[in-house]
Amino acid sequence: MVRRPQLLTLALLTVPLAACTAPLTVEPAPYAADPDCARIMLAVPDVVGGLEYRETTSQATASWGEEFPLVMRCGVEPPGPTTEQCIAVETSSGTVDWLVIDEDTRWRTVTFGRSPAVELLVPKERAQDAIGDVLAEVSPAASRAPSNGLECR
């Protein structure tokens, strides 16, 4: 027989747990096990674009926000020379170059000139968040990847 105080305690403990958000399912990048990805992911900010950090299901991934989340993956294939739009973001630890690729439902940004490469997916619903501003917030973490010699031109 369960006494009322124990039921109340159980109910009070259950409510906060029910409010927790389930981790976002994210496919890991091919080179997610690269040791430099661990350094990058440990430096990601708690808030990006005004969105709170959200747990993910895979190594070397991060996300921010509930509806239309921003998703970061470390260990994507580093891009070679390209004609894609490239922007340079200045950080306190140096410049981070990003390719900005317009896809149907999102902007896909990938660090350029860094290995391992970092990808940040920005849903088009978040278009009000300037891509440059969001990249400026994650660039200090991305700058922890070593340079591979390529730069925006």
Side-chain angles (χ1 to χ4, degrees), residues 128-142:
Q128 73 276 12
D129 302 328
I131 295 289
D133 292 343
V134 172
L135 292 178
E137 293 179 40
V138 297
S139 286

Side-chain angles (χ1 to χ4, degrees), residues 53-122:
Y53 180 83
R54 179 177 176 189
E55 293 293 325
T56 59
T57 58
S58 300
Q59 176 180 357
T61 62
S63 69
W64 296 268
E66 294 298 317
E67 189 175 8
F68 309 114
L70 305 176
V71 176
M72 175 186 262
R73 298 186 320 147
C74 182
V76 297
E77 185 69 38
T82 182
T83 58
E84 294 288 346
Q85 177 186 359
C86 189
I87 61 172
V89 177
E90 296 293 326
T91 73
S92 59
S93 39
T95 302
V96 177
D97 293 338
W98 293 86
L99 298 180
V100 180
I101 302 136
D102 185 355
E103 297 181 339
D104 285 341
T105 60
R106 65 187 181 189
W107 294 96
R108 184 167 58 91
T109 63
V110 180
T111 53
F112 184 69
R114 304 241 173 210
S115 186
V118 173
E119 171 185 78
L120 181 67
L121 303 174
V122 181

